[in-house]
Amino acid sequence: MSAFTVGVCQLGVVPDKQANINKARRMIGEAAGYGSRLIVLPEMFNCPYQSELFPQYAETYPVGPTIAMLAECAAKHKVVLVGGSIPEQDENGNVYNTSFIFDESGELIGRHRKIHLFDVTIKGGTVFQESRTLAAGSSITVVKTSLGTIGVAICYDVRFPELARAMALSGAQILIFPAAFGPVTGPAHWELLMRSRAVDNQVYVVAAAPALNAATEYKAYGHSLIIDPWSRVVAGVADEETVLTGKIDFRTINKVREELPVLKQRRVDLY
Ligand SMILES: NC(=O)CC(=O)C(=O)O
């Protein structure tokens, strides 16, 4: 399929896990109702973005109400579903920031565990230490779907251009970033980074953020985006709770790569 609609659920996360699950279910239905074949949720959509809370909201695949809802919605609406991310606990007790990816029959077709943990101290701004409670993933996630090949990485992973390049060189046509930038790095870097990864690699980028909830400790920046391989913003929103949709057309990838063949012109003999 060369062209289809992608939907992004920019949902406002609340402390009540079941309320987040219910809202995600409703918003996935809304995105499907707009004709979306690929639907993306934001980072940590079932849990407030606070390190100390991750273990208590975690689920262990295949058990858990969030994972069950994602599989059920993918099958019900016959969509490829990138389930944002949730805290995932493995059999050894390690907790990861994980994106579960389902096909149109509700089968799990991929799982990305955030590779680069968000451990930063921005003076007068954001202080965050994901490694207090999370372990880092150790593999790159590129998944073949009925719609095309997608690369999935989570939030801080976008700051490492080598990862996006590796996914593109592995065949990813769309890079999908469930993410949750905050009020300091959001205005400064969010759109710049997402558009850079698109233009660097001549791919579509889908960046799915939570809506701003002024009552939670971490203030999400929102501003979900769909960006084309020329780095044009196909669709974008501010920080409100909403479903965003846009068209993905793989012919644009071919056109941009033919006109500006930078991927072929890399000097891999030098770097
Ligand atoms: N939340 C993140 O993982 C990353 C982030 O907010 C940033 O890079 O800025």
Side-chain angles (χ1 to χ4, degrees):
M1 170 151 319
S2 64
F4 57 89
T5 300
V6 56
V8 176
C9 303
Q10 180 166 291
L11 66 81
V13 177
V14 295
D16 179 342
K17 180 175 170 180
Q18 190 56 48
N20 294 323
I21 295 171
N22 295 345
K23 198 188 287 190
R25 185 196 303 280
R26 182 177 52 70
M27 293 179 84
I28 293 166
E30 188 181 334
Y34 297 144
S36 308
R37 305 283 312 273
L38 168 65
I39 298 178
V40 185
L41 294 169
E43 181 178 27
M44 291 296 184
F45 75 88
N46 75 351
C47 168
Y49 192 57
Q50 280 173 245
S51 289
E52 72 278 12
L53 297 180
F54 296 152
Q56 78 197 57
Y57 285 72
E59 297 179 18
T60 302
Y61 183 82
V63 180
T66 317
I67 294 168
M69 176 277 293
L70 293 171
E72 184 194 313
C73 284
K76 175 174 175 197
H77 299 293
K78 298 189 173 32
V79 294
V80 175
L81 180 60
V82 178
S85 78
I86 64 167
E88 178 209 11
Q89 183 158 28
D90 73 7
E91 54 289 348
N92 301 315
N94 296 313
V95 179
Y96 299 91
N97 184 337
T98 301
S99 183
F100 291 96
I101 304 148
F102 296 88
D103 72 7
E104 295 90 335
S105 61
E107 286 299 312
L108 186 75
I109 52 170
R111 175 187 340 208
H112 180 72
R113 290 173 169 165
K114 188 175 188 175
I115 295 173
H116 304 93
L117 296 183
F118 187 44
D119 285 354
V120 301
T121 304
I122 300 169
K123 303 257 177 327
T126 310
V127 176
F128 211 96
Q129 205 69 24
E130 279 191 318
S131 64
R132 274 177 64 195
T133 56
L134 296 182
S138 53
S139 48
I140 293 180
T141 305
V142 175
V143 184
K144 283 205 164 92
T145 77
S146 62
L147 301 170
T149 303
I150 61 173
V152 177
I154 300 174
C155 203
Y156 200 50
D157 285 337
V158 75
R159 290 189 182 269
F160 301 85
E162 299 90 339
L163 171 61
R165 174 53 55 89
M167 293 193 288
L169 293 179
S170 297
Q173 297 156 295
I174 312 171
L175 301 183
I176 299 177
F177 294 101
F181 274 38
V184 176
T185 61
H189 300 152
W190 169 260
E191 184 171 329
L192 173 71
L193 285 166
M194 297 301 172
R195 293 184 64 199
S196 300
R197 296 301 82 88
V199 77
D200 285 345
N201 298 295
Q202 304 181 313
V203 290
Y204 278 90
V205 165
V206 178
L212 171 66
N213 176 354
T216 49
E217 190 181 295
Y218 185 86
K219 306 282 182 281
Y221 177 59
H223 289 79
S224 295
L225 287 168
I226 300 165
I227 301 161
D228 84 359
W230 191 256
S231 198
R232 287 174 290 232
V233 175
V234 174
V237 281
D239 58 16
E240 70 276 18
E241 186 164 89
T242 190
V243 172
L244 172 71
T245 61
K247 272 265 177 298
I248 300 255
D249 188 338
F250 290 145
R251 288 167 295 195
T252 307
I253 301 182
N254 300 338
K255 181 174 186 297
V256 169
R257 289 185 180 182
E258 268 166 38
E259 292 174 353
L260 199 62
V262 292
L263 290 175
K264 281 193 195 146
Q265 291 166 338
R266 286 175 303 121
R267 288 293 306 273
V268 287
D269 55 325
L270 298 179
Y271 51 78

